């Protein structure tokens, strides 16, 4: 006696179900943000299947059957505008927050580029607040979302520095040759970023480069070439 083969269950992803525009006028449903959303109560159904959409409409909103013809169309359009408006209310704060973070990073980059102390950001914030209140008072509160304090700026700069180092590491994997140029970078107090503990002979500088920077950046020293002036 032959054994019956394993039963095959139909998976939702294999049914190729999709939203149909006709459901909007028939059941007040639309396709929004990858979901089948009810215009009336703003809830969604799990599966884009007419049976589910129709069942929700008939059980939850039976009074809407009274709307017919042009009145039904106008009601549907009104509900669509309402849904779009509600979604925009949630989307805009997210966009403003992301923009505020971008501004914070840009200011951090400028402070690092000019070797300014972190607490200079307090002065920068005061200037921004004055300009906002004078030029666009209706939007002044948006500028309060910009995170500007010395600790935040310090974290931003460390993040930017780490990103630059990561990009450099990736680029050194594909380049064929490179040369090095060294100088003594100092901070605002004229203190060297990488001070030598003993002498400052060429060999001492070379040892610092080999011991610290080449290991950190994983530079392939065999690729070093002498640049020509």
């Amino acid at each position: 006696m032959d054994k019956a083969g394993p039963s095959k269950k139909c998976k939702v992803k294999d049914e190729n179900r999709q939203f149909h525009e006709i459901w909007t006028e028939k059941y007040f449903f639309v396709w929004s943000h990858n979901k089948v959303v009810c215009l009336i109560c703003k809830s969604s159904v799990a599966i884009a299947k007419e049976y589910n959409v129709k069942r929700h409409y008939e059980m939850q909103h039976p009074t809407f059957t009274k709307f017919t013809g042009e009145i039904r169309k106008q009601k549907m359009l009104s509900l669509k505008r309402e849904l779009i408006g509600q979604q925009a209310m949630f989307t805009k704060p997210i966009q403003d927050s992301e923009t505020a973070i971008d501004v914070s990073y840009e200011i951090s980059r400028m402070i690092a580029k000019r070797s300014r102390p972190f607490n200079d950001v307090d002065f920068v914030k005061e200037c921004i607040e004055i300009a906002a209140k004078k030029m666009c008072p209706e939007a002044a509160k948006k500028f309060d979302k910009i995170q500007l304090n010395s600790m935040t700026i310090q974290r931003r700069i460390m993040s930017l520095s780490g990103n630059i180092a990561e990009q450099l590491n990736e680029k050194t994997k594909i380049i064929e040759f490179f040369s090095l140029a060294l100088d003594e970078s100092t901070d605002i107090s004229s203190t060297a970023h990488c001070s030598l503990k003993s002498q400052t002979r060429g060999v001492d500088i070379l040892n610092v480069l080999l011991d610290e920077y080449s290991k950190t950046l994983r530079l392939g020293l065999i690729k070093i070439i002498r640049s020509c002036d």
Side-chain angles (χ1 to χ4, degrees):
M1 182 177 179
D2 296 335
K3 294 182 180 180
S7 60
K8 296 182 179 180
K9 295 183 178 180
C10 183
K11 296 181 180 180
V12 173
K13 65 179 181 180
D14 297 330
E15 294 179 358
N16 195 27
R17 292 170 181 164
Q18 58 182 357
F19 180 80
H20 296 279
E21 297 293 337
I22 194 173
W23 295 351
T24 302
E25 189 171 343
K26 289 179 65 175
Y27 311 118
F28 287 88
F29 269 85
V30 294
W31 179 255
S32 177
H33 294 82
N34 296 320
K35 293 182 179 180
V36 184
V37 180
C38 175
L39 289 173
I40 304 169
C41 64
K42 310 304 185 291
S43 61
S44 60
V45 296
I47 302 175
K49 186 178 180 181
E50 185 170 12
Y51 172 81
N52 296 338
V53 173
K54 182 180 179 181
R55 183 171 181 272
H56 174 92
Y57 172 72
E58 292 179 346
M59 294 187 65
Q60 301 297 327
H61 313 294
T63 58
F64 274 72
T65 57
K66 65 182 180 182
F67 298 112
T68 59
E70 186 63 24
I71 295 178
R72 186 178 183 85
K73 183 178 180 180
Q74 293 301 321
K75 186 67 176 178
M76 179 266 292
L77 293 174
S78 176
L79 291 172
K80 285 183 73 173
R81 287 192 294 268
E82 181 181 324
L83 176 64
I84 294 172
Q86 289 181 357
Q87 292 174 339
M89 288 177 62
F90 289 102
T91 302
K92 197 171 188 306
I94 295 175
Q95 293 174 340
D96 290 344
S97 178
E98 292 176 347
T99 301
I101 293 174
D102 289 342
V103 172
S104 179
Y105 268 102
E106 282 298 314
I107 293 175
S108 300
R109 184 185 63 80
M110 292 173 64
I111 288 177
K113 185 177 181 180
R114 289 166 175 76
S115 299
R116 303 301 305 174
F118 297 147
N119 57 11
D120 270 11
V121 75
D122 296 329
F123 174 70
V124 173
K125 187 172 185 178
E126 289 180 11
C127 293
I128 291 176
E129 291 175 347
I130 292 173
K133 290 178 181 178
K134 292 289 185 180
M135 300 183 66
C136 50
E138 71 283 353
K141 290 184 178 180
K142 291 184 179 180
F143 293 88
D144 293 336
K145 297 180 180 179
I146 304 175
Q147 298 181 14
L148 292 177
N149 58 67
S150 58
M151 292 300 295
T152 299
I153 294 301
Q154 183 178 1
R155 291 195 300 270
R156 298 276 194 254
I157 292 175
M158 290 178 63
S159 176
L160 290 169
S161 176
N163 180 263
I164 292 174
E166 183 178 348
Q167 291 184 53
L168 181 57
N169 283 330
E170 291 299 319
K171 288 183 178 180
T172 56
K173 295 177 182 178
I174 60 175
I175 59 177
E176 295 184 5
F177 303 102
F178 67 90
S179 59
L180 296 174
L182 305 178
D183 67 355
E184 186 181 45
S185 299
T186 59
D187 58 21
I188 192 172
S189 61
S190 297
T191 301
H193 288 176
C194 180
S195 59
L196 297 177
K197 298 180 180 179
S198 56
Q199 303 182 62
T200 57
R201 299 172 300 172
V203 65
D204 299 310
I205 298 174
L206 178 61
N207 286 334
V208 171
L209 173 67
L210 295 178
D211 292 341
E212 297 184 21
Y213 292 100
S214 63
K215 292 179 181 178
T216 302
L217 298 175
R218 299 189 293 276
L219 297 173
L221 299 183
I222 194 174
K223 297 181 179 180
I224 291 181
I225 61 172
R226 181 180 177 181
S227 60
C228 299
D229 296 332

